[in-house]
Amino acid sequence: ETARPGQITERDLDIFDAVLRYRFCSAAQIVRLAGGNEDVTHRRLRRLWEGGLVNRWAFPGVRTHSEFYYYLDSREPLDLLADRRHLEIHPQMLEEIRSHREKDYAGAATRGQHMQLGFLNHGLMVSRMHFMVEMACRRSGSGVALEAWCQGGQVAGHKVDVPKIRSSKVGSEFFWQEVDETERLPVEPDALFTLRFADRAEGQQLTHFCYEADRGSMVMTDMLKKFRGYYYFIKKQQKHREAFGVHPIRAVLVETTDEARGKKLMELVGHPLVAGPAKRAGLFWFSISPLFTDPTADSPIPRYLDKPEAVLEPIWALPDHSLHALGDVKNAHPDPCSGGSEVDEFL
């Protein structure tokens, strides 16, 4: 692992690969993704940063800063991966690197630019989910595999036409009526990923999910439009077949900040403009960030680092308060005798 000055090691290539795939990646994530000796990885990360091959930022604090988060804003790592590991460089990769360089996240964090920091925190939520899913699949042996993960420009630019709504208020109640006009709503998941379950019959092994990272900053009227767009795009018009090339979408996974926000979002699914109050809507599954970011009873580090396989467990709640795991084959209620769960409070 000892390299001459300027020499690129296999560990360096592992680091480039992880940061490229994740867009934003913490040092703790890189250590686990790259494997091998932790101290060596930290030394190589610092050397790569000093050489300008990776960039990094830390969120400023009152007395100290956060851990470092890494990203690529130079083409050189891609060229090295192409030369040494036959990476096929796509235009989208180059566009992301150009965007990272122009936005100067390292400088934005130092200057405390709140809009940029909000974007970075959102990106880290997506990165955390990607990390949990990938590491959970690794720990499953050959039981579950991450077949594909797409985000950013790979799933951007899609819209759906939905009927316009006229609302009226009678007393204290609101009533909605569809009109002949339509409006276009965006449908752009934060991520789209596919899991392969090896214990299923051939042709039934792939399961597809959309993922939404909700930081609690979007107002409820905008979240209502987001859910309505998903419902029409996937359930009513099945435009995901052509747009994403997958079918069916098992669920739209929504990770939000806390129980109170989660309950409000679950109520939106039953809104007349989405699924309606009389329908059992199984498209939207909800969970909360503390289930991933809080430490476990056995370890002081966050659960997503210590026990990433938790993401595959029955911690996803439907609006009818049933709990589900990503490997469930249908939206059946869990066995009431199976015991409680850490999301009982959330329900």
Side-chain angles (χ1 to χ4, degrees):
E1 295 289 347
T2 302
R4 295 189 301 274
Q7 181 182 0
I8 297 299
T9 69
E10 288 299 311
R11 180 69 57 90
D12 297 336
L13 296 175
D14 291 338
I15 291 171
F16 293 151
D17 176 72
V19 179
L20 174 64
R21 290 190 296 112
Y22 278 70
R23 276 71 170 180
F24 307 121
C25 207
S26 71
Q29 288 174 314
I30 293 170
V31 163
R32 288 160 175 81
L33 290 165
N37 184 276
E38 180 175 346
D39 291 337
V40 171
T41 300
H42 280 297
R43 285 200 300 270
R44 297 311 300 172
L45 271 171
R46 182 173 182 85
R47 181 65 61 85
L48 295 174
W49 171 69
E50 290 172 343
L53 291 172
V54 299
N55 209 338
R56 70 185 187 187
W57 84 86
F59 293 112
V62 177
R63 300 182 66 180
T64 184
H65 57 68
S66 71
E67 68 175 319
F68 286 114
Y69 300 94
Y70 292 83
Y71 64 98
L72 300 181
D73 60 0
S74 164
R75 174 167 179 158
E76 190 171 350
L78 271 64
D79 291 335
L80 288 166
L81 286 170
D83 180 56
R84 300 268 292 270
R85 293 190 175 177
H86 310 293
L87 170 73
E88 184 179 350
I89 299 176
H90 298 287
Q92 181 189 344
M93 297 177 185
L94 300 176
E95 174 60 25
E96 286 184 354
I97 285 175
R98 183 195 62 79
S99 176
H100 291 175
R101 186 167 56 250
E102 289 180 353
K103 291 178 180 177
D104 183 21
Y105 299 124
T110 302
R111 293 187 294 270
Q113 293 176 301
H114 296 292
M115 289 294 290
Q116 289 281 50
L117 295 182
F119 172 80
L120 293 176
N121 274 308
H122 180 269
L124 291 175
M125 281 185 71
V126 180
S127 174
R128 184 176 67 222
M129 179 58 60
H130 188 178
F131 175 84
M132 284 190 293
V133 171
E134 180 171 335
M135 296 304 291
C137 290
R138 288 190 191 184
R139 295 189 180 189
S140 74
S142 58
V144 189
L146 178 57
E147 190 80 3
W149 179 281
C150 302
Q151 68 181 81
Q154 296 169 298
V155 289
H158 301 291
K159 296 182 182 294
V160 62
D161 293 315
V162 304
K164 276 190 175 181
I165 299 293
R166 180 184 296 117
S167 63
S168 59
K169 187 175 182 181
V170 179
S172 60
E173 295 188 27
F174 278 94
F175 295 89
W176 290 267
Q177 181 180 8
E178 292 186 353
V179 298
D180 292 336
E181 299 177 69
T182 62
E183 61 178 335
R184 304 204 80 192
L185 297 179
V187 179
E188 298 183 327
D190 289 323
L192 172 72
F193 66 94
T194 299
L195 299 180
R196 179 181 294 276
F197 293 90
D199 60 350
R200 297 181 186 174
E202 190 68 29
Q204 301 176 18
Q205 294 183 342
L206 298 182
T207 305
H208 313 286
F209 298 93
C210 292
Y211 168 70
E212 280 290 329
D214 172 52
R215 295 180 53 248
S217 57
M218 185 176 286
V219 298
M220 284 296 165
T221 51
D222 289 339
M223 290 301 297
L224 180 66
K225 288 182 179 180
K226 181 183 289 285
F227 287 173
R228 191 167 186 240
Y230 268 121
Y231 194 76
Y232 272 80
F233 192 83
I234 296 172
K235 284 291 188 183
K236 289 202 166 187
Q237 300 179 17
Q238 296 195 2
K239 295 189 71 173
H240 61 279
R241 291 173 178 258
E242 180 181 355
F244 303 141
V246 299
H247 181 75
I249 298 289
R250 181 72 180 89
V252 177
L253 306 176
V254 182
E255 178 191 347
T256 191
T257 52
D258 53 38
E259 296 173 16
R261 174 80 172 183
K263 289 177 180 178
K264 290 180 180 179
L265 295 181
M266 292 166 76
E267 291 172 359
L268 284 184
V269 176
H271 193 283
L273 299 186
V274 187
K279 295 182 180 179
R280 183 173 181 271
L283 178 62
F284 298 97
W285 297 13
F286 298 87
S287 196
I288 55 176
S289 295
L291 292 178
F292 309 130
T293 58
D294 286 354
T296 65
D298 303 324
S299 172
I301 66 175
R303 179 179 279 104
Y304 84 93
L305 292 173
D306 183 54
K307 192 184 176 186
E309 59 270 24
V311 75
L312 299 178
E313 296 173 356
I315 60 167
W316 299 94
L318 270 67
D320 65 3
H321 292 185
S322 60
L323 291 177
H324 298 279
L326 300 190
D328 289 351
V329 294
K330 60 181 179 179
N331 292 347
H333 286 271
D335 182 353
C337 299
S338 62
S341 158
E342 292 186 60
V343 291
D344 287 345
E345 291 291 326
F346 175 41
L347 299 177

